[in-house]
Amino acid sequence: MAARTRDMTRGNPTKLILSFCLPIIAGNLFQQFYSLVDTLVIGQVEGVTALAAVSAAGWLDWTVLGLAMGMAQGFAIQIAQSFGAGDYAGLRRAAGQSILLSAAITVGLTLLSELLLWPMLTALRSPENTIALTCQYLRVIFGGVVFVMSFNLLSGFLRSLGDSKSPVWFLALASLINIVLDFAAIYGLKMGVAGAAIATVVSQAVSGVLCVWYMKKHFDVLRMEKDDWKFRRAEALRLLGMGVPVGLQFSITAIGSVLLQSAVNSLGAIYVSGAAAASKLFQLFCCPYDALATAATSFTGQNLGAGKYDRIRQGTRACNMIGLVYCCIHILLALFTTRYAIWIFMSADEAQSVLAYTQQMCNFVAFFSPLLLFVNVFRLSIQGMGYSRVALCAGIMEMIARTFVGIWAVPRFGYDAACLAGPFAWLLADAFLIPAYFACLRARERQAVEAKKLAARE
């Protein structure tokens, strides 16, 4: 077995999680960086209308791609559990089944998203001056679902085995390719928003190919034989039981955000652009929370497989403590850098017109960021224990909260209500997730005790 794997069932949890998270944060920053370059080039070259068009695509984009990414993340949970238990044959079978299932899911998602794109944009009341551009952008993005699924599945395998560094290098190279293609397609070839989408899809394809190459070269534990590729109904159903709830959780959360986006769209393009810039900054500032969530999944999955339940508690506690320290940093970043960072997305005159709306949303998100931290850590820890359906309930609560704000609050209270949608959704999710986490952990401990008693009787 290659030395690049990392056993997270022994050693100091805080040090392990920090060393695991730092490369993921770097990778997320690279990913957000080329997303920012997309926004920068579009905003500076094509103007506020094109920026609003791409921004309006954001949550619909995430509804489809989030389903693919979530299912890939869910499939990787079995890899972490098998690795922690030392079941390498089961690990390879799970990897083979995950790839087969992902291929079938990708075909279905691509066809559905392309067919339903225009009706969805119309139903969401996209502004008339942006809907054609939004559709143009998303058709290219949805055509690249296969590359999103591939990279997220394979990088999930690597992280489940404790390797959080390799995907960072692949994202770094992909980011550079994306940036070069952005300038070539938008500045040089004058391809507009379609050029930005093409650059994104090509860079994702490169990162997926690099994952395949690296796994084949360095991870003996993932070198599958012919038998590992055989379809196994029971194994496939177990993986779907983990992956589908996680994918639905991503998409259901996004559906609530799509409805909220629809409400913001009705306020006008200036509000859409302000919220769009805030959303881009949110994605940038929230990279550490996403990294802690990924760490919680791998740490919990490996230690569950090893039967070390006390370490699961220690790992969750370490993730939360590290995250609370970052929450303080997040607040400072929102308060003192937003007014300058917004210039990345648009010209000075345009930035001045939307600054107040961007600053307002960034401040609300930052001050309520501990709620987001707990959502990420507790939800992903629950998923790491194999209770993806329980975690899905939190996604439903987030959807309900954002839907309520979009349908009822925004028409009555305007943009102020839109700024509170995220914190309100996180609060409802936390009210469910925190007690659910402890209940799931106790249930796993009881199952382990019963299994030992049964084995002793036999």
Side-chain angles (χ1 to χ4, degrees):
M1 185 168 45
R4 288 173 175 81
T5 58
R6 178 184 302 177
D7 185 354
M8 301 180 78
T9 63
R10 49 179 76 109
N12 184 287
T14 301
K15 290 181 179 178
L16 278 170
I17 288 168
L18 271 175
S19 62
F20 187 85
C21 279
L22 290 175
I24 297 176
I25 293 171
N28 288 345
L29 287 173
F30 278 124
Q31 202 165 20
Q32 294 305 323
F33 180 65
Y34 72 67
S35 178
L36 284 173
V37 170
D38 279 350
T39 307
L40 182 153
V41 176
I42 290 169
Q44 296 288 348
V45 177
E46 302 294 326
V48 170
T49 300
L51 176 61
V54 174
S55 303
W59 287 114
L60 190 56
D61 178 359
W62 183 246
T63 302
V64 176
L65 300 188
L67 181 60
M69 293 166 65
M71 293 189 73
Q73 187 181 94
F75 293 157
I77 293 169
Q78 183 61 53
I79 304 296
Q81 292 180 359
S82 297
F83 181 70
D87 180 12
Y88 303 128
L91 185 155
R92 285 187 287 272
R93 288 197 301 272
Q97 296 301 298
S98 297
I99 293 170
L100 291 175
L101 290 171
S102 297
I105 291 163
T106 296
V107 173
L109 278 178
T110 302
L111 291 175
L112 280 174
S113 59
E114 293 288 353
L115 287 172
L116 298 177
L117 176 55
W118 186 266
M120 284 295 297
L121 289 174
T122 304
L124 291 170
R125 297 179 293 175
S126 296
E128 291 183 6
N129 63 330
T130 64
I131 189 170
L133 290 174
T134 302
C135 188
Q136 184 183 0
Y137 178 82
L138 284 176
R139 287 209 183 280
V140 178
I141 292 293
F142 290 158
V145 169
V146 60
F147 304 121
V148 175
M149 190 77 166
S150 299
F151 174 71
N152 282 277
L153 181 69
L154 300 177
S155 63
F157 288 176
L158 295 176
R159 288 167 179 153
S160 293
L161 300 175
D163 180 7
S164 60
K165 295 181 180 178
S166 302
V168 174
W169 296 109
F170 307 150
L171 281 173
L173 180 58
S175 299
L176 292 174
I177 292 171
N178 185 276
I179 292 167
V180 171
L181 290 178
D182 266 333
F183 282 97
I186 299 173
Y187 272 112
L189 300 176
K190 308 297 183 184
M191 296 176 68
V193 296
I198 291 169
T200 299
V201 168
V202 171
S203 66
Q204 289 168 341
V206 169
S207 58
V209 170
L210 287 172
C211 276
V212 173
W213 166 78
Y214 190 78
M215 284 169 50
K216 291 180 69 173
K217 185 173 182 180
H218 295 292
F219 282 82
D220 294 337
V221 72
L222 284 170
R223 288 185 180 174
M224 291 169 281
E225 303 295 334
K226 183 178 179 180
D227 188 61
D228 297 321
W229 293 103
K230 186 184 298 182
F231 180 76
R232 293 176 172 84
R233 186 171 180 272
E235 182 79 25
L237 289 174
R238 183 165 66 252
L239 285 166
L240 287 171
M242 292 183 177
V244 170
V246 180
L248 288 176
Q249 170 195 299
F250 277 58
S251 287
I252 284 172
T253 302
I255 288 169
S257 299
V258 166
L259 294 172
L260 179 63
Q261 179 69 56
S262 175
V264 174
N265 288 348
S266 68
L267 298 176
I270 193 73
Y271 292 97
V272 173
S273 296
S279 177
K280 290 292 184 182
L281 291 174
F282 168 77
Q283 292 167 14
L284 186 64
F285 293 155
C286 290
C287 286
Y289 305 128
D290 296 334
L292 286 166
T294 303
T297 307
S298 296
F299 190 93
T300 300
Q302 286 196 21
N303 282 284
L304 181 75
K308 296 185 176 181
Y309 301 101
D310 285 339
R311 278 185 66 82
I312 293 176
R313 291 187 180 87
Q314 293 168 12
T316 304
R317 190 181 309 120
C319 286
N320 283 326
M321 294 306 297
I322 294 167
L324 287 171
V325 172
Y326 176 71
C327 286
C328 299
I329 298 172
H330 182 185
I331 291 170
L332 294 175
L333 288 171
L335 289 174
F336 298 110
T337 67
T338 299
R339 70 191 66 181
Y340 306 109
I342 194 174
W343 292 350
I344 295 172
F345 311 121
M346 56 194 75
S347 67
D349 290 340
E350 292 170 333
Q352 192 61 39
S353 68
V354 303
L355 175 58
Y357 305 117
T358 302
Q359 183 73 65
Q360 181 181 350
M361 185 167 284
C362 286
N363 290 349
F364 272 102
V365 168
F367 279 103
F368 288 101
S369 59
L371 297 175
L372 172 62
L373 166 69
F374 297 145
V375 168
N376 280 9
V377 172
F378 284 109
R379 178 159 58 197
L380 273 293
S381 295
I382 290 171
Q383 288 175 191
M385 285 186 265
Y387 289 105
S388 297
R389 294 178 186 176
V390 175
L392 173 61
C393 294
I396 294 172
M397 290 185 170
E398 288 193 66
M399 180 192 71
I400 291 170
R402 288 191 171 92
T403 301
F404 170 78
V405 172
I407 293 175
W408 183 83
V410 172
R412 287 166 175 78
F413 304 105
Y415 191 73
D416 292 344
C419 292
L420 281 171
F424 180 47
W426 304 331
L427 179 63
L428 280 187
D430 283 331
F432 171 80
L433 283 169
I434 294 173
Y437 165 82
F438 292 104
C440 289
L441 189 53
R442 286 194 297 269
R444 286 301 190 198
E445 288 175 318
R446 286 195 300 269
Q447 291 170 8
V449 170
E450 290 169 2
K452 287 180 181 179
K453 289 179 179 178
L454 182 61
R457 285 197 297 268
E458 293 176 350

